[in-house]
Amino acid sequence: MTMTPEQAAWFSDIFNRLVANVDQVLLGKTFVIKLSFTALLSEGHLLLEDFPGTGKTSLARAMAQSVRGSASRIQFTPDLLPGDITGVSIYDQGAGEFEFHRGPIFANIVLADEINRASPKTQAALLEVMEEGRVTVDGISHDVGAPFMVIATQNPIEQAGTYRLPEAQLDRFIMKASIGYPDHASTVRILEGAGVKAHETILPPIATDEVIVELGALARTVHVDPTINDYVSRLVEATRSATEVRLGASVRGALALIRTSKTLAAANGRHYVIPDDVKALAEPVLAHRLVLDPEAEFDGVTASSIVSQLLIETPPPSDRQSV
């Protein structure tokens, strides 16, 4: 089944209303909000590398309210244990059996704050749930439900006492983005509303969690022309042959770029993907998957600049071909 133009229009209407709703809380950050909902509806997870106080918690809470879902926040610390995330089995003397007590990972939108401050063992507790939507404790699997999304954050400045996320875990995040500081006009608007605390702001729900699941399934039916698949394949292969790159994007990265491009196309009211969808998402989807050569990093080369250069060097198919 392929998405129809009417379904694309319905998808776009709900998507834009979700973005506008969250935009009331995260002022002036429409692009990041769009990326966040694109990740959610692509059934993926988002990594935010940003400074403290830029609205990461507000974003997660506002998204959960917009989809009438639950939100939880896990503060990652060096002494955090895997069971503190997934939950533990506790023996019930009255019933004579172990009872599973759910951890904070059982929510629709989970904010994993400063994820790189926890040990690799604790970070690994997220791998199964991010990939399969379930956790296994004492050999028993527990589904976390749908929709489900992890928004993980890390501070780009304070690296003392942190553990770098391994490549295998970075690859699990469908996108990496940065909220950044608001512009002058947005800052003034934020200050005008300083009398209202962020956690006191309650947004009206725009869609139910069932509708979000339906939208996610619908996004998978967006048409992708073979020329678009060829374009994405050439782009990903180019990351592997770039001289400044030690490890290029994986096949999972290519699949993520196609999945998110489908969602973005539907968000723009189209039932088919065009090259501009791929170009808009290439940097947030691919850059964090690249491992640069140490000499290139020393020279100030960034993964984002490499992806931008590859977009220039890799010719896209014409829009007429890809429709």
Side-chain angles (χ1 to χ4, degrees):
M1 185 185 75
T2 303
M3 178 185 283
T4 64
E6 293 75 21
Q7 289 174 322
W10 176 70
F11 188 109
S12 178
D13 175 62
I14 296 180
F15 184 93
N16 289 319
R17 284 195 285 130
L18 286 168
V19 171
N21 202 43
V22 176
D23 195 46
Q24 299 177 65
V25 173
L26 211 64
L27 301 176
K29 298 298 176 182
T30 304
F31 180 68
V32 176
I33 299 171
K34 284 184 176 180
L35 286 181
S36 302
F37 277 112
T38 298
L40 174 64
L41 297 176
S42 301
E43 300 172 355
H45 310 284
L46 180 67
L47 177 62
L48 293 176
E49 185 173 85
D50 224 324
F51 308 109
T54 51
K56 300 181 289 290
T57 304
S58 297
L59 172 63
R61 185 184 296 112
M63 287 181 67
Q65 291 177 352
S66 298
V67 301
R68 198 178 291 168
S70 57
S72 68
R73 179 178 178 271
I74 307 171
Q75 180 63 54
F76 279 65
T77 56
D79 59 348
L80 191 72
L81 298 175
D84 296 330
I85 298 173
T86 60
V88 294
S89 294
I90 298 177
Y91 186 71
D92 186 339
Q93 288 186 330
E97 59 184 20
F98 283 92
E99 181 180 353
F100 178 65
H101 289 247
R102 297 185 169 194
I105 197 67
F106 287 85
N108 297 120
I109 307 291
V110 179
L111 179 68
D113 211 3
E114 295 189 287
I115 187 174
N116 55 337
R117 292 205 175 276
S119 67
K121 182 178 181 179
T122 301
Q123 291 177 13
L126 288 175
L127 289 178
E128 180 189 16
V129 67
M130 288 174 64
E131 187 71 17
E132 303 177 19
R134 66 187 181 194
V135 296
T136 302
V137 178
D138 296 331
I140 301 176
S141 294
H142 306 270
D143 289 331
V144 295
F148 173 70
M149 178 186 185
V150 173
I151 301 178
T153 74
Q154 58 181 7
N155 190 330
I157 301 300
E158 296 179 11
Q159 295 300 321
T162 64
Y163 301 87
R164 183 171 179 173
L165 295 182
E167 283 69 31
Q169 185 156 353
L170 282 172
D171 212 23
R172 294 300 199 283
F173 289 99
I174 203 167
M175 274 192 266
K176 179 183 176 184
S178 174
I179 296 177
Y181 293 121
D183 57 25
H184 175 73
S186 298
T187 302
V188 171
R189 290 175 60 195
I190 292 171
L191 295 177
E192 288 173 350
V196 180
K197 294 182 179 179
H199 66 270
E200 294 177 347
T201 303
I202 299 177
L203 297 176
I206 301 300
T208 62
D209 51 358
E210 291 87 357
V211 170
I212 297 300
V213 172
E214 184 180 352
L215 290 174
L218 195 58
R220 295 197 295 268
T221 68
V222 172
H223 173 70
V224 180
D225 191 84
T227 58
I228 296 292
N229 287 327
D230 176 73
Y231 178 46
V232 169
S233 179
R234 286 187 287 114
L235 196 57
V236 169
E237 289 168 3
T239 67
R240 301 168 189 162
S241 58
T243 55
E244 306 93 341
V245 177
R246 190 173 61 183
L247 180 66
S250 65
V251 175
R252 184 184 282 119
L255 289 169
L257 189 49
I258 288 294
R259 281 166 54 195
T260 53
S261 295
K262 285 183 172 185
T263 303
L264 184 61
N268 290 327
R270 280 181 280 99
H271 61 287
Y272 55 86
V273 175
I274 62 174
D276 282 349
D277 297 324
V278 177
K279 291 178 181 179
L281 294 169
E283 191 273 329
V285 172
L286 297 180
H288 68 285
R289 304 172 194 271
L290 307 185
V291 178
L292 303 188
D293 184 90
E295 290 186 11
E297 284 189 287
F298 183 77
D299 291 337
V301 177
T302 64
S304 296
S305 65
I306 290 174
V307 174
S308 298
Q309 183 62 34
L310 293 177
L311 284 171
I312 296 173
E313 297 174 355
T314 308
S318 67
D319 288 355
R320 184 171 48 81
Q321 285 180 298
S322 57
V323 174

